[in-house]
Amino acid sequence: MSNNSASSSSSLVIAQKAVKQLRLEASVRRIKVSQAAADLKTFCLQNAHKDPLLIGVPSSDNPFRPPKSCVLF
Amino acid sequence: MGEMEQLRKEAESLKDQISAARKAVHDVTLPEIVSGTAVVGRVQLKTRKTLRGHLAKIYAMHWGTDSKLCVSASQDGKLIVWDSYTTNKVHAIPLKSSWVMTCAYAPSGNMVACGGLDNMCSIYNLKGKDGNVKVMRELAAHTGYLSCCRFLNDSEIITSSGDCTCALWDIETGTQKTIFSGHMGDCMSLAVSHDFNMFISGACDYTAKLWDIREGACRQTFGGHESDINAIGFFPNGNAVLTGSDDGTCKMYDLRADQELITYQDPSIMCGVTSLAPSLSGRLILAGYDDFNCNIWDSLKAERVGVLAGHDNRVSCIGVTPDGMAACTGSWDSFLKIWN
């Protein structure tokens, strides 16, 4: 008997926590997708020129690719 | 009506409220906003370096903040710190447990961490007095495997676990300062925001959650995936979250609009996403898949614009350097490759 009431009261606590969390998440302030998407697009376009993987890296600036040089001793 | 029944009804009503509130701000789609933007041209990255040395599957890698050193973890029981410019091994750290699933480099460069089926997060001091790398702390309290860890600084680290929780630890005392519970499935991956105030987690309950580190609270939950989320990352502007799932898709969720903006999918892709990383501007998303490849997506147009083909087994991890100069892929074929 006491086992049943213990497990049912813990289910109750879990359910109460779940409702409390949902109330929190429901109260979030949301902006319009049009604004969010426009900001993402702007960010990408404004930073494109400094994105090495996007625009490519000249071998002289590429730390993973030392420029080939001919050395005559 | 019993209290349980009342609570169940209230939960359902709140879920409907959230759905309706998200719909109410859904005035346009991302594809419509970028309809006038051209798809990026074909992206062809070449392997510039191959890091050879591990003797078994690589499960994780993480770049240091200098964009030069990186750490990798393999089930050969080693953590290797590499100088990616020269391919030299700076440190080869033998692990107590070879069942490692994650590794992390501290922003300071002073420490690395790893963990896995031992349920612990082990912290290693790279700058010890005698030059030897030793275990500094073993953070033990999770009751499930350690899937991911990320340092906030030299005294705090966040972990995600198969026990369905994430935790913030005080490294000095070895104790959990905060436990983040709420996921209903194994937590698989986490990423920390640039300002170190928030982190996101992806789990086997198919959701991603945004957490406030200091409040210890979950602020937002994002659903939509049809299977486990294996990989998660912040979009570089900090306002969106990228997820990769066993359902074969990646998704972008906007934090301020509190909803999914777009899904990156292709009918020809029938295997799970293991890892992902955005490029510096966020325009490219590199995603590793179970089928040995990495696809490069145009994040705005949701089209595939490139492929990194070069591994002979599953790509298990991927990371883009903080300076955006290169991407690193780690694979079950035991090699790491640097691409740009």
Side-chain angles (χ1 to χ4, degrees), chain B residues 119-309:
Chain B
N119 298 1
M120 294 196 310
C121 182
S122 301
I123 313 284
Y124 293 83
N125 183 1
L126 298 179
K127 308 283 167 89
K129 285 201 178 79
D130 52 1
N132 281 333
V133 175
K134 284 190 300 212
V135 182
M136 208 184 107
R137 280 293 175 276
E138 284 174 338
L139 308 176
H142 277 303
T143 54
Y145 58 85
L146 203 84
S147 52
C148 194
C149 57
R150 286 291 179 259
F151 285 90
L152 294 184
N153 48 57
D154 281 4
S155 23
E156 293 173 310
I157 191 166
I158 301 203
T159 56
S160 63
S161 169
D163 68 10
C164 308
T165 70
C166 297
L168 168 69
W169 301 77
D170 178 324
I171 294 175
E172 197 49 39
T173 62
T175 56
Q176 289 182 323
K177 283 177 21 171
T178 313
I179 297 174
F180 303 90
S181 22
H183 274 301
M184 310 274 271
D186 301 13
C187 295
M188 296 302 289
S189 187
L190 76 97
V192 179
S193 65
H194 284 225
D195 63 9
F196 297 104
N197 289 330
M198 314 284 264
F199 78 93
I200 44 178
S201 58
C204 293
D205 60 5
Y206 311 174
T207 72
K209 282 180 182 287
L210 174 72
W211 306 86
D212 182 320
I213 295 176
R214 302 303 159 192
E215 298 287 313
C218 169
R219 293 252 168 271
Q220 290 166 262
T221 301
F222 302 95
H225 273 298
E226 293 168 359
S227 189
D228 303 353
I229 293 176
N230 298 316
I232 199 161
F234 273 95
F235 191 84
N237 72 352
N239 290 333
V241 171
L242 297 162
T243 54
S245 165
D246 270 348
D247 66 12
T249 76
C250 296
K251 285 178 187 289
M252 166 145 63
Y253 299 92
D254 191 277
L255 295 177
R256 296 177 307 160
D258 186 42
Q259 59 193 271
E260 177 187 327
L261 289 190
I262 196 118
T263 298
Y264 306 96
Q265 66 190 341
D266 188 298
S268 67
I269 299 173
M270 286 183 285
C271 61
V273 178
T274 60
S275 47
L276 59 77
S279 69
L280 194 71
S281 68
R283 187 63 194 268
L284 302 177
I285 298 171
L286 288 77
Y289 293 74
D290 281 342
D291 68 355
F292 310 177
N293 285 328
C294 236
N295 286 319
I296 306 177
W297 295 88
D298 177 329
S299 66
L300 295 180
K301 303 293 285 185
E303 286 185 35
R304 259 199 296 186
V305 293
V307 161
L308 298 181

Side-chain angles (χ1 to χ4, degrees), chain A residues 21-53:
Chain A
Q21 180 59 35
L22 282 167
R23 273 196 208 126
L24 226 144
E25 293 183 23
S27 70
V28 156
R29 279 190 63 217
R30 297 169 181 84
I31 67 168
K32 288 206 187 295
V33 171
S34 52
Q35 194 196 329
D39 287 352
L40 275 165
K41 173 182 161 185
T42 304
F43 184 87
C44 283
L45 297 180
Q46 279 182 347
N47 289 289
H49 69 279
K50 38 181 164 149
D51 186 340
L53 294 178

Side-chain angles (χ1 to χ4, degrees), chain B residues 15 26 46 81 99-100 117 131 209-210 232 243-244 250 261 281 290 300 317 320 326 336:
Chain B
K15 284 181 194 163
H26 189 87
K46 295 200 171 78
V81 176
W99 304 111
V100 66
L117 294 183
K209 282 180 182 287
L210 174 72
I232 199 161
T243 54
C250 296
L261 289 190
S281 68
D290 281 342
L300 295 180
C317 51
V320 170
L336 295 138

